[in-house]
Amino acid sequence: MNMFFKKVFLFIIYILFGLTLLAQSKKEKLSDIMNTYHKYNMFDGAVLVAENGKIIYKEAFGLANREWNIPNTTDTKFMIGSVSKPITAALMLILVQNHLVSLDKTIEDYLPEFKNKPAAKVTIRQLLSHTSGMPNYDIIKDFFPRISRQSFSREDYVKIYQDSALAFVPGTRYMYSSWGYYTLGYIIEKVTGKSYEQAMKDEIFSKLKMENSGSYFHTKIVTKRASGYDYGLGNFLSADFRDQSNTMGTGDIYTTVEDLFKFHIALTNNTLLNKELTKEMFTPGERPARYGYGWFNQNFRYTPTDSITANYHLGTTDGFNAFMIRIPETNSMAVILCNSANTDYLGIIRSLLKGLYNKPVVLKKPVHKDMENIIVSANAEKAVDAYKKMKIDTAHYYVDWLQMYYLAEKLLNLKKFEDARIIAENNVVEFPDRDLITLSLANIYLALNKKIDAIKFYKRTLQLNPISDEAKNRLKEFEPN
């Protein structure tokens, strides 16, 4: 009998040791992935991966402040852009749970200034799920920087969009709207009698001990908050300024990777919301986005043949990128918070999931990074020539259409219009079915005063994406009065 127990004991030790080795190798694999992205100047920030409700990997890379050479740490605070929306949605659902708000009541029920306005009859449910038909801020051609840099009272900011026509009958389609989530934040303030910041602190951050999270405003001093930077052409640039008074409810939260892990666990354990409301939050909505209340809820493909049922959200704001994904089936999650924009957030998340699920990970050099260096040392024409060679060298390089789009946009923002045109024209050839690519070229032609070419590609954008408000509005500007 003693021998039997001894064998059982040794077997258990063997299993535990094997699991420890597996966890160690997984952690090392995840670290190798992130170190490679950092080496390629594709990631500066903090990352966390959890499996079965436990953190298995967290690490920080690069600098929180380049002026003072201060490194990022895993408790550095980052702006998270639209990853704020899941938190806003949770706060609104808490108010629903407390019978302060009804999902089927309308904007005008809470905000009298919306009476007789186009969005008056839009419901809270439709705001949460981006099915309101309310437009997004990008319908305003010069929103950045003319409006984005200004400070507004709540009352003055809603005046910017409350007269805007709806894109469709509310509840019939999906269209992402940050103005919709700003409206939710404004309703939260009206219903609670508190600022959005205070309501968020009282109902979520304090209860979950998310002590490194808050609602940011540029006059606040926030210890250990990272500065935001943009990847330039072979260098870093300080990010543009955006006044956070116009991102309340949509993108004004700062936090850490560990605080977002706490938020994930609270949703898993129904600490904040009951099971019924949690289920509604994570129920897939209208196609193609399948957006529930604050989350994209759909299969997330991380290899050509592997996908998982997930809840996720992307966030971008000046100098910052964020991506958070939850895998409910295994109570797992991954989050990246980056203070050097733009980065290949989808590629990074896919690679982390490959590491999490023990799939092969082969990281190749990003083509667009080499192209940036060639543009600096020579010109865009030579960069395109090099692109054609690198794209067929699939053993060493990879091409990501979104990063190629960002490269053209970066050149446009730097007012390198001819270089931008050359890159964007190549992008249209390479990725003809991407509406962002055709829209980018149209905007570049407009900047070059090539109106006929601009009109052509705004129209092509609408062929690819009939609900592109930006393309519609630009074409209206060309119509005779």
Side-chain angles (χ1 to χ4, degrees):
M1 186 65 71
N2 288 339
M3 181 60 69
F4 171 77
F5 282 119
K6 183 176 181 181
K7 288 181 178 179
V8 170
F9 176 75
L10 289 173
F11 176 75
I12 292 171
I13 293 297
Y14 172 79
I15 292 296
L16 291 174
F17 181 68
L19 289 174
T20 300
L21 287 178
L22 181 62
Q24 285 177 336
S25 63
K26 189 174 289 189
K27 178 180 178 181
E28 290 165 0
K29 188 174 186 178
L30 294 169
S31 182
D32 287 343
I33 290 168
M34 295 309 302
N35 272 284
T36 301
Y37 277 109
H38 177 61
K39 180 182 71 175
Y40 288 153
N41 275 337
M42 294 290 286
F43 186 77
D44 295 90
V47 54
L48 181 148
V49 178
E51 185 176 31
N52 299 318
K54 303 291 183 184
I55 297 171
I56 63 169
Y57 168 68
K58 61 179 180 177
E59 196 169 3
F61 301 86
L63 297 175
N65 184 285
R66 294 188 172 274
E67 290 85 346
W68 288 90
N69 208 38
I70 297 170
N72 280 316
T73 64
T74 54
D75 61 349
T76 297
K77 299 163 188 170
F78 298 86
M79 299 300 297
I80 59 172
S82 286
V83 178
S84 302
K85 288 182 173 70
I87 307 176
T88 296
L91 178 54
M92 180 55 81
L93 291 175
I94 289 169
L95 300 184
V96 171
Q97 185 171 261
N98 293 341
H99 306 293
L100 294 173
V101 174
S102 169
L103 285 171
D104 294 312
K105 282 197 171 183
T106 64
I107 295 176
E108 69 176 1
D109 289 327
Y110 300 103
L111 303 176
E113 57 264 54
F114 273 82
K115 285 187 184 296
N116 300 318
K117 301 296 183 182
K121 302 299 183 183
V122 166
T123 66
I124 303 301
R125 189 186 304 275
Q126 291 160 351
L127 289 173
L128 284 166
S129 59
H130 289 306
T131 57
S132 68
M134 292 178 68
N136 202 30
Y137 53 73
D138 52 15
I139 68 168
I140 300 175
K141 181 180 178 181
D142 57 348
F143 183 89
F144 296 99
R146 181 176 64 85
I147 293 174
S148 65
R149 291 178 179 175
Q150 293 186 49
S151 180
F152 294 91
S153 66
R154 307 298 195 224
E155 293 79 8
D156 286 341
Y157 188 68
V158 296
K159 289 177 183 176
I160 292 173
Y161 64 86
Q162 66 182 9
D163 290 310
S164 299
L166 300 183
F168 50 80
V169 175
T172 62
R173 280 166 48 191
Y174 163 87
M175 187 175 76
Y176 192 89
S177 174
S178 286
W179 279 343
Y181 265 72
Y182 186 94
T183 306
L184 287 172
Y186 191 27
I187 291 171
I188 287 168
E189 293 192 329
K190 291 291 188 180
V191 168
T192 63
K194 302 175 182 178
S195 67
Y196 169 83
E197 176 183 18
Q198 190 62 48
M200 185 67 71
K201 181 179 180 181
D202 291 346
E203 297 295 339
I204 297 181
F205 295 154
S206 293
K207 290 181 179 178
L208 300 184
K209 294 185 170 25
M210 293 174 64
E211 296 167 352
N212 292 309
S213 302
S215 179
Y216 183 68
F217 190 70
H218 66 270
T219 57
K220 289 177 67 173
I221 295 176
V222 179
T223 58
K224 301 195 75 173
R225 189 184 74 88
S227 299
Y229 299 93
D230 292 327
Y231 285 121
L233 294 173
N235 62 352
F236 291 90
L237 305 170
S238 289
D240 199 358
F241 170 75
R242 183 170 186 181
D243 193 291
Q244 297 298 331
S245 68
N246 58 64
T247 66
M248 182 267 302
T250 80
D252 70 333
I253 289 177
Y254 64 84
T255 189
T256 64
V257 289
E258 290 195 66
D259 272 8
L260 288 176
F261 171 72
K262 292 176 183 178
F263 181 59
H264 157 71
I265 292 297
L267 294 176
T268 301
N269 296 340
N270 300 114
T271 304
L272 293 172
L273 298 169
N274 61 38
K275 290 183 179 180
E276 180 183 351
L277 286 172
T278 301
K279 182 180 178 181
E280 285 196 59
M281 172 183 268
F282 294 129
T283 297
E286 292 287 330
R287 293 183 184 275
R290 313 308 305 273
Y291 201 93
Y293 300 159
W295 296 90
F296 294 93
N297 301 315
Q298 58 182 317
N299 282 352
F300 186 90
R301 188 169 297 280
Y302 61 98
T303 78
T305 57
D306 297 288
S307 65
I308 47 164
T309 301
N311 323 119
Y312 61 90
H313 216 294
L314 158 71
T316 63
T317 190
D318 298 80
F320 295 89
N321 288 150
F323 199 106
M324 178 177 177
I325 186 166
R326 305 176 68 252
I327 303 103
E329 185 178 354
T330 59
N331 192 14
S332 301
M333 71 162 289
V335 58
I336 57 171
L337 304 181
C338 179
N339 68 320
S340 295
N342 277 294
T343 189
D344 184 9
Y345 40 81
L346 286 172
I348 294 173
I349 288 292
R350 289 190 182 111
S351 295
L352 289 173
L353 293 180
K354 289 175 188 176
L356 180 63
Y357 291 109
N358 298 308
K359 301 292 182 181
V361 182
V362 179
L363 295 180
K364 303 169 187 178
K365 197 169 185 182
V367 164
H368 70 279
K369 283 296 182 182
D370 274 12
M371 291 179 71
E372 288 178 2
N373 294 329
I374 295 169
I375 292 170
V376 171
S377 61
N379 54 53
E381 288 183 351
K382 289 191 176 179
V384 170
D385 289 341
Y387 167 87
K388 293 173 182 177
K389 296 175 183 177
M390 289 186 286
K391 78 169 186 175
I392 61 176
D393 183 7
T394 56
H396 300 99
Y397 290 93
Y398 82 95
V399 178
D400 178 71
W401 76 267
L402 191 57
Q403 297 306 312
M404 294 298 294
Y405 158 78
Y406 283 136
L407 176 56
E409 288 293 291
K410 182 185 299 183
L411 292 165
L412 174 62
N413 292 332
L414 291 171
K415 294 184 168 42
K416 295 180 178 292
F417 298 133
E418 277 301 319
D419 284 340
R421 177 188 62 79
I422 292 166
I423 298 299
E425 287 178 345
N426 182 67
N427 286 348
V428 166
V429 172
E430 294 294 310
F431 317 107
D433 298 327
R434 299 287 186 177
D435 61 286
L436 276 180
I437 293 290
T438 55
L439 180 62
S440 173
L441 181 56
N443 286 334
I444 290 166
Y445 280 143
L446 186 60
L448 288 166
N449 204 31
K450 295 186 175 186
K451 293 182 180 180
I452 294 175
D453 291 326
I455 290 171
K456 174 183 175 182
F457 280 93
Y458 284 130
K459 288 181 177 179
R460 187 179 295 185
T461 299
L462 286 176
Q463 290 173 351
L464 295 170
N465 178 12
I467 62 172
S468 172
D469 280 329
E470 186 173 354
K472 288 179 183 177
N473 289 326
R474 299 298 171 267
L475 286 173
K476 285 180 183 178
E477 292 170 6
F478 291 111
E479 294 175 357
N481 295 325

